Amino acid sequence: MAEARRLLGVALLFSTFFLPALSVDRSNFKTCDQSSFCKRQRKLEPGSSPYRAVLGSAKLSADKLEIQLIDDKNQVSLLLEVFGLNGNMTRIKINEINPLKPRYEVPDVLLGTPIPANLQVTGQDDNTLELSLGGAEHKLLVTGTPFRLDILSGRDLVLSVNSRGLLHFERLRERKDTDTEKTDVPPEGDDGNPGEEEATKEEESKKVDEDEPGMWDETFKTHTDTKPNGPSSVGLDFSLPGFEHVYGIPEHADNLRLRTTESTDPYRLYNLDVFQYELYNTMALYGSVPLLLAHNVQRTLGIFWLNAAETWVDISSNTAGKTLLGKMFQYIHGGGETPQTDVRWMSESGIIDVFVLLGPTPHDVFKQYASLTGTQSLPPYFSLGYHQCRWNYNDEDDVRNVDAGFDEHDLPYDVIWLDIEHADGKRYFTWDPHKFPTPKDMLSNLKDKRRKMVAIVDPHIKIDSGYRIHNEIRSRGFYVKNKDGGDYEGWCWPGSAAYPDFTNPEMRAWWSSMFAYDQYEGSTENLFVWNDMNEPSVFNGPEVTMHKDAIHWGGWEHRDIHNLYGLYVQKATADGLIQRSGGKERPFVLTRAFFAGSQRYGAVWTGDNAAEWDHLKISIPMCLSLSLVGISFCGADVGGFFKNPETELLVRWYQAGAYQPFFRAHAHLDTPRREPWLHGDDNLKLIREVLQQRYALLPFWYTEFYRAWRDAEPVMRPLWVEFPTDVSTFAMDDQYMIGSALLVHPVTEANSRGVQIYLPGVGEVFYDVHSYQKYEAPQSFYLPVTSSSIPVYQRGGTIIPRKNRPRRSSDCMHDDPFTLHVALNLQGEARGELFIDDGHSFNYEQNEFLYREFNYSRGELKSSSLDPRGNFETSSWLERVIIIGASQPTSVTLSLLGGSETPLEFEYDAHTSVITVRKPGVNIAADFTISLR
């Protein structure tokens, strides 16, 4: 009876939170006005800052400047630290000098201590200190009263800090009824005015410290946050003269270009399980990366706000000529009013720790951010193929039949996925003994076809004394604690659940050990993992997440670490998959929640979307925003997770998804089955065609991911990254580039008869990849489309490697021959790259790889090594070369290094200006020259 009541409670809870609503219930999630610290921070109006920098207190070392800041309203002292960093970056930290208790500083996100760069004082007067930042190009101006920082590049004012006077740092203090501490005013040095108006200052200090609702406890719906440390928020403003376009700070279901928020809530960064999220607003979603990029025709820069607490970001547009900063800008540059974007960051706790990435190019900013947080991990080759998923494949027979269906209908795929129903009562690391009694046999059958499986492992653990995982975590004391010191408990899929404390490195190490083959019973080397619900999701918690006054390892509150939780879950899981192979094999882990640095551990998807055209459309800017902040391995659920897609929408989503980095179809438990062969022969043919296009381009995708790992280059990128001076591209997010070679414009409108294409770049040329039709850029044109159309264009001047032989999975294509697509620019030249290794191990780190360069110029296609350290044997050979935009040759020959010329067969299509060279037959690892005469 007790178990029946418990199950009924789960059912009622599930129905209350998840079934009736057709879209997000906004009342479950806070607005800024309902978040007391955001409301306090935001009510501060721009003006003269109450803070002054005591220039006489300045201490300068080789790479760091320390200056005392004083809030003249309450005489509280802060410590400003400015660091010069290698690679054109600056770090700014602000903290209390003697806090009541330590304030949280985010660990484990940075790769290590950033490499310092030299700081030197280059000028000083009564109210200004001027320093060079790592060289002569950039200057930092520190203004004493009111406190402000300005960064200049040459004579260009690039960025200002606290120019609107919105620095606000809530000091930790005792509650007033117990507050007996005295605040000593630090020495004021040359700028001080000691002893004057002490009574007035004391009175102002009392007013500043007056308690406001929400400071010491805060209730939202039925949940009360006890706030034992009281108010602790931090806020700071940045002004960007000359910038109108800003991007980043995912995750939001919004356009690529960030909107201004004067008349809306700020953008919120707080990882939440948002059921059926709305589009085109600033609400928080599953993940958070506090990196904002700004771009104009002169430069790109970034602001990385390293804080894991709940954060809100206000964006406003301004006219520089109407502000004090703008007058300074005008004085330097002359001329009239200049556009300006103002950005204001507000976090609930922690310190101010911000990195300014000074570019000046988009690719410089990508490298600067990657030097801090790492690059996208190189995924295993199979994970770039197609993934088939639903909640849930019912049993082993269902898995077997779906797998066979792909073969029967001649459809390639690499991975089949299992959702929560595969486990025994949603006890992760187990299998349902009735539905999945022989998981090793099931996995072996997939392995025979060179395919893989992904199973879900969520971070909420069923409270059950018969469950080994729960018993071990509890006995080791590894659960998050509630405010009273007991294990924190909440409701999730298994019913009553507890939450492992992934901030504890010992807990993470233990979790990793559970993926060993002798611990995760039934697992094999072709089983990989999916971490869902890791925001963390707590069905009966405030805002469907964990209480902020829960306690983590080290005594830190959940409010301090919230946005880090999902990163730690994915990290521990990825480490476990590596360890189970003895450190040899690359992991694949998909995560829903993420933070800065999550790119090091695997893939991300855009969460529980819906089968609606607008959700298809929004998947593009959502993934583009992630790519700008280092997370290249992004995709959206093909077909939409909720609701039932019409066949046209489903096909269009396959066509779009095939040209996004992570390509997975997924569907809700209550939706009809959606396997590709269930929608009629015509639609099956269309889906087969797009799957074959995806698989043909896998060598290109894999090479782009190698460049992302090595050089921090986003795989899927906005047009402005490749064409940074083309203003027409700055707000464009319905088309994008894959690498620098392919421009993609998916069809995302119902009943579409055509799309408007824009091809950027002065002196550029593009070719339709299907028809080879040539287009000179820049130009905009209307392209008629049919149900089979996927508008994709290869940029002139690029070479793309392909494998055109259809197989059942990517692993079956490993030794297949290559075709090179050489698209000539207006100068008759082209260049491309190809990365090859075993596709699954870390041996590439020991130089077991090939990194080839192809160059076409003056009628010769040459292949050479881009990295002579690489050494890898492959049997793949060059089957075909297609040269697009070429004149007809009289002969084509092949020569190897030091060898004689061998004539080759070729065809020329005068209508498309395409040369097809057949069977050069040379190993793809060889140095060779193909000459056209």
Side-chain angles (χ1 to χ4, degrees), residues 520-734:
Y520 189 170
E521 186 176 348
S523 65
T524 63
E525 67 274 8
N526 64 327
L527 178 67
F528 297 87
V529 181
W530 167 21
N531 294 146
D532 197 1
M533 315 298 285
N534 55 336
E535 293 75 26
S537 178
V538 183
F539 290 167
N540 62 336
E543 301 192 89
V544 201
T545 193
M546 188 172 286
H547 292 72
K548 288 181 175 178
D549 54 9
I551 303 300
H552 288 266
W553 177 73
W556 298 108
E557 286 189 287
H558 186 72
R559 83 181 73 252
D560 299 313
I561 67 92
H562 176 84
N563 288 341
L564 274 177
Y565 190 87
L567 176 145
Y568 277 135
V569 176
Q570 188 186 23
K571 170 179 166 51
T573 303
D575 288 346
L577 297 188
I578 295 170
Q579 290 170 20
R580 75 178 185 180
S581 69
K584 297 177 182 178
E585 298 296 312
R586 279 176 259 166
F588 172 76
V589 182
L590 179 72
T591 183
R592 190 170 72 175
F594 53 84
F595 190 65
S598 288
Q599 67 270 14
R600 305 198 297 262
Y601 306 115
V604 165
W605 94 107
T606 61
D608 296 340
N609 58 4
E612 298 173 358
W613 286 96
D614 279 348
H615 275 265
L616 166 59
K617 189 181 302 182
I618 205 74
S619 70
I620 299 172
M622 288 182 76
C623 279
L624 288 174
S625 294
L626 284 164
S627 73
L628 288 176
V629 300
I631 300 176
S632 274
F633 206 177
C634 169
D637 286 344
V638 169
F641 179 66
F642 291 111
K643 304 183 181 180
N644 304 315
E646 58 198 270
T647 53
E648 182 194 9
L649 173 58
L650 182 65
V651 169
R652 289 300 191 197
W653 215 317
Y654 268 98
Q655 293 170 343
Y659 287 90
Q660 292 178 0
F662 177 56
F663 185 23
R664 181 187 75 154
H666 188 34
H668 189 275
L669 184 72
D670 294 332
T671 62
R673 297 293 284 256
R674 292 190 200 160
E675 286 72 40
W677 52 87
L678 299 178
H679 312 283
D681 290 343
D682 290 344
N683 292 308
L684 172 61
K685 181 181 177 182
L686 293 172
I687 294 172
R688 181 185 298 117
E689 287 174 357
V690 75
L691 290 176
Q692 289 175 349
Q693 288 183 40
R694 171 68 173 212
Y695 276 76
L697 283 170
L698 285 182
F700 171 65
W701 281 106
Y702 193 58
T703 300
E704 289 304 317
F705 268 95
Y706 176 69
R707 289 174 57 84
W709 172 76
R710 192 194 67 174
D711 298 327
E713 304 225 342
V715 173
M716 177 181 177
R717 59 190 71 161
L719 293 183
W720 62 261
V721 170
E722 284 300 308
F723 305 95
T725 61
D726 189 337
V727 178
S728 300
T729 68
F730 289 4
M732 197 170 288
D733 58 13
D734 57 353

Side-chain angles (χ1 to χ4, degrees), residues 51 72 355 364 498 595 639 761 930:
Y51 289 91
D72 279 332
F355 295 82
D364 289 333
F595 190 65
I930 294 177

Side-chain angles (χ1 to χ4, degrees), residues 32 37-44 92 94 103 159-170 232-240 246-252 258 261 266-270 287-294 301-316 341-357 369 563 595-596 629:
C32 180
F37 86 88
C38 182
K39 186 176 182 179
R40 290 195 305 274
Q41 287 274 348
R42 212 182 191 200
K43 79 176 182 181
L44 298 174
I92 300 166
I94 301 176
R103 299 181 70 115
L159 172 144
S160 291
V161 180
N162 201 40
S163 64
R164 296 196 298 153
L166 296 174
L167 168 61
H168 185 57
F169 200 109
E170 293 183 328
S232 58
S233 71
V234 297
L236 186 60
D237 65 279
F238 299 80
S239 294
L240 309 172
V246 291
Y247 313 89
I249 57 170
E251 184 177 33
H252 302 94
L258 299 175
T261 58
Y267 281 97
R268 192 183 188 198
L269 297 175
Y270 190 61
S288 302
V289 181
L291 171 63
L292 180 141
L293 289 84
L301 60 83
I303 301 171
F304 175 35
W305 178 269
L306 184 54
N307 190 301
E310 178 187 348
T311 296
W312 300 77
V313 185
D314 249 331
I315 298 170
S316 57
T341 297
D342 297 317
V343 181
R344 180 183 188 179
W345 300 79
M346 301 166 283
S347 292
E348 184 175 15
S349 64
I351 70 167
I352 292 173
D353 189 0
V354 61
F355 295 82
V356 179
L357 317 178
Y369 179 66
N563 288 341
F595 190 65
V629 300

